[in-house]
Amino acid sequence: MTDRPSYYITTPIYYVNDVPHIGHAYTTLACDVLARFKRLAGFDVMFLTGTDEHGQKVEKSAEKAGVDPQAFCDRVSERFRDLASAMNYSNDQFIRTTEDRHKKAVQHLWKELVAKGYIYEDKYAGWYSVRDEAFYGEGELIDGPDGGKVAPTGAPVEWVEEPSFFFKLSAFEDKLLALYDSQEDFVLPKSRLNEVRSFVKGGLEDLSISRTTFSWGVPVPDVPGHIMYVWIDALTNYLTAIGYPDTNSETYKKYWPANVHMVGKDILRFHAVYWPAFLMAADLPVPQRVFAHGWWTNEGQKISKSLGNVIDPFALIESHGLDPVRFFLLREVPFGNDGDFSERAFLIRCNADLSNNFGNLAQRSLSMIFKNCDGVVPTPGAFSDADKAILNAVEGLLPVVRGHMDRQAFNLALDAIWGVVGEANVYIANEAPWTLKKTDPERMATVLYVTAECVRQLAILIQPFMPMAMEKMLDQMAVEGRGFDTLGEAGRLKPGAAIAQPQGVFPRFEVPAEGAA
């Protein structure tokens, strides 16, 4: 099928100076859920993640570890691949900026910017944060704990003076503001767009895009001693993965411009200001959207190594299971806001929504079918108004959920789905098939058919969030077609089809008493 619409979604590429944490897991999870949703909707999806492996911070981390930078990158990058596997991400590519194809792409982009007159040589003198890999103006610095100045992120800064090539970022103020006005969803959430617009309106200075004081990076073409600043290097990965510099390649033509660049709010400026400016300068289309999500805290505290409260996604999966973790991270907090991870909130949420609500709905209805209908989907009679109402509710979910997903409002999509889960539980309680078993077996068969059909459609919609759990649930019902084209009447359960003996797919967690250690 070649006429499927394309969809290109990217994570930021993760910096390899440290091991993966919950923030990395969260960003890529959001992209994975969106990629899975689009595939089920019939899209030809390209989902990209990877690692950013150049820069002074990596060079210093490798030196501290006593290994050469490439060996250091190889080791840490593998941990991010391990995370992708542990979280059951469905990424189509994993890119590394140390790959030859990437060096070729970024050097080509550099030459394009030189040819178009947007790069010039000068000397850089200013404040630089190794930890942030970012330059800061004097006015952006804040007072640090020891009385000195630090970056707005709290990172240490050092005064740097060196020869540098500059990108004429100042030439793009009006073009960027016009972009934000014409493409009003270019940055979401809206509050982040306001921040970006305000930053650009405050005036843009030309951007230093090469360094000479360290050597771990992509060499500037034809200029010995200069390596590219990590952000022009890193951002170009989104083009590298789809065949750039061959803009006539099938993959480039199919997937560019990207539909969504998903990023943490700390790197929004690089993606919503610098990146579109580089692309405009090279006469390349800009992405359709940059979505900047918030940060997680742990039990109300900022996550930091010094506090010892870093949330290890591998440990979380080991202790609680993968799909409950995937569900909680996107259910608990409006996507785009900051969120707090609390063990107690996690256990309560998963018990309430998964075990008690959806799990109970599926277990009750499928167990009754298995025991009372010879283990096959029953033949329904004529549908009552109550039957039609709940079927209409579940069959009306897709456009609602799609609207939320297209704006990356994952929690609202789950709210809509769980609203119908609740309605289905009310329906089965009201109809009481366990009573009808004695008084009206034919009506019981209809009620169980309707609830099983609700479970089927809900499970298909929930697949992007919890693929393994929903695969088990749909397997028990022997459901074959699982794309969104099977929602509604088109894919309804066939009476007489055998189902497997139902087994719960969601664990029930023990919740410690409030205040217990």
Side-chain angles (χ1 to χ4, degrees):
M1 192 172 166
T2 55
D3 57 348
R4 291 181 299 158
S6 60
Y7 196 85
Y8 184 24
I9 182 164
T10 70
T11 73
I13 49 171
Y14 300 118
Y15 214 53
V16 295
N17 69 306
D18 207 349
V19 295
H21 55 66
I22 197 70
H24 303 120
Y26 184 54
T27 314
T28 314
L29 172 61
C31 293
D32 179 62
V33 168
L34 196 48
R36 287 177 182 274
F37 184 89
K38 289 295 181 181
R39 290 190 197 105
L40 288 165
F43 282 72
D44 180 345
V45 173
M46 173 63 72
F47 165 24
L48 175 69
T49 189
T51 45
D52 175 7
E53 303 183 13
H54 290 135
Q56 190 172 3
K57 191 161 51 169
V58 171
E59 191 173 77
K60 287 192 172 185
S61 296
E63 189 179 322
K64 188 176 174 185
V67 295
D68 71 83
Q70 187 64 59
F72 178 84
C73 291
D74 291 345
R75 187 176 73 205
V76 183
S77 181
E78 197 57 36
R79 287 295 283 160
F80 283 91
R81 284 188 189 271
D82 292 343
L83 179 66
S85 176
M87 289 289 294
N88 194 19
Y89 298 143
S90 61
N91 51 293
D92 298 286
Q93 282 196 53
F94 187 100
I95 192 166
R96 300 179 57 186
T97 55
T98 47
E99 293 178 51
D100 287 341
R101 64 170 174 159
H102 178 68
K103 293 172 187 173
K104 176 183 169 187
V106 73
Q107 287 183 326
H108 181 87
L109 179 64
W110 183 284
K111 288 176 181 176
E112 286 288 295
L113 298 179
V114 169
K116 293 178 187 299
Y118 288 110
I119 290 180
Y120 63 92
E121 191 170 8
D122 204 340
K123 184 176 127 178
Y124 179 78
W127 295 103
Y128 185 74
S129 163
V130 174
R131 193 174 91 191
D132 297 345
E133 292 285 7
F135 298 104
Y136 291 105
E138 190 78 38
E140 294 181 276
L141 301 184
I142 60 173
D143 292 329
D146 60 357
K149 294 293 184 180
V150 296
T153 60
V157 292
E158 58 189 46
W159 184 260
V160 172
E161 291 190 30
E162 60 182 315
S164 180
F165 284 94
F166 285 77
F167 172 73
K168 292 182 181 177
L169 185 63
S170 59
F172 289 89
E173 276 184 38
D174 291 344
K175 287 180 181 176
L176 286 167
L177 292 172
L179 167 65
Y180 307 149
D181 289 341
S182 64
Q183 214 167 302
E184 58 180 33
D185 288 341
F186 179 71
V187 175
L188 284 180
K190 288 285 188 195
S191 58
R192 304 282 176 227
L193 176 60
N194 295 337
E195 288 173 22
V196 169
R197 188 182 271 120
S198 175
F199 174 75
V200 174
K201 279 185 174 175
L204 295 177
E205 295 182 0
D206 290 349
L207 186 68
S208 171
I209 55 169
S210 78
R211 304 291 307 278
T212 59
T213 50
F214 61 97
S215 59
W216 183 243
V218 179
V220 169
D222 308 319
V223 187
H226 282 261
I227 62 144
M228 293 188 205
Y229 170 49
V230 70
W231 278 107
I232 193 168
D233 168 4
L235 290 161
T236 306
N237 92 89
Y238 305 129
L239 293 174
T240 303
I242 52 167
Y244 185 84
D246 183 3
T247 54
N248 290 315
S249 72
E250 281 305 307
T251 49
Y252 178 87
K253 288 193 288 188
K254 185 188 295 181
Y255 295 116
W256 194 258
N259 295 81
V260 181
H261 289 321
M262 192 74 75
V263 301
K265 63 182 183 179
D266 53 324
I267 54 172
L268 176 59
R269 181 188 303 180
F270 304 106
H271 285 80
V273 180
Y274 302 166
W275 181 226
F278 295 154
L279 292 167
M280 289 173 179
D283 290 328
L284 295 172
V286 300
Q288 293 179 24
R289 177 171 302 157
V290 177
F291 195 105
H293 65 73
W295 292 336
W296 283 90
T297 52
N298 187 353
E299 307 283 356
Q301 285 190 305
K302 185 177 178 182
I303 293 173
S304 76
K305 279 194 209 171
S306 57
L307 289 173
N309 67 346
V310 173
I311 300 171
D312 178 355
F314 296 99
L316 203 55
I317 294 163
E318 182 70 28
S319 59
H320 297 311
L322 173 56
D323 277 1
V325 170
R326 288 175 59 107
F327 174 78
F328 177 83
L329 289 176
L330 293 180
R331 173 77 163 122
E332 187 71 2
V333 176
F335 195 68
N337 293 6
D338 290 342
D340 182 55
F341 185 89
S342 149
E343 175 83 2
R344 184 176 172 78
F346 175 92
L347 300 175
I348 290 171
R349 168 69 77 180
C350 289
N351 281 349
D353 282 4
L354 301 184
S355 181
N356 295 357
N357 284 4
F358 189 46
N360 192 39
L361 174 69
Q363 191 68 13
R364 279 202 293 183
S365 53
L366 299 180
S367 292
M368 279 203 74
I369 289 173
F370 192 79
K371 288 176 186 170
N372 302 300
C373 304
D374 300 321
V376 300
V377 175
T379 302
F383 290 147
S384 69
D385 286 347
D387 303 336
K388 290 174 186 172
I390 190 61
L391 286 171
N392 286 341
V394 77
E395 287 166 10
L397 266 176
L398 179 59
V400 175
V401 172
R402 181 189 288 120
H404 294 316
M405 295 294 279
D406 282 346
R407 292 185 68 78
Q408 291 74 61
F410 301 105
N411 63 301
L412 295 182
L414 288 168
D415 281 350
I417 293 169
W418 254 260
V420 176
V421 170
E423 289 177 43
N425 272 310
V426 169
Y427 165 83
I428 196 172
N430 288 344
E431 297 297 326
W434 41 88
T435 302
L436 293 169
K437 172 183 167 184
K438 296 174 184 171
T439 61
D440 191 346
E442 287 186 14
R443 178 64 191 150
M444 176 199 74
T446 303
V447 170
L448 291 177
Y449 179 88
V450 169
T451 43
E453 178 57 21
C454 287
V455 169
R456 177 188 77 86
Q457 297 197 48
L458 289 164
I460 286 171
L461 278 169
I462 297 166
Q463 286 177 104
F465 297 90
M466 294 183 285
M468 291 168 72
M470 293 307 98
E471 182 180 19
K472 286 180 190 170
M473 191 174 283
L474 291 165
D475 282 351
Q476 289 179 27
M477 302 172 74
V479 173
E480 293 180 6
R482 300 181 184 188
F484 293 160
D485 58 341
T486 65
L487 293 169
E489 275 190 73
R492 280 209 179 146
L493 292 167
K494 292 187 170 45
I499 68 165
Q501 182 162 8
Q503 304 207 339
V505 297
F506 300 120
R508 179 158 186 80
F509 298 111
E510 198 66 42
V511 181
E514 197 158 6

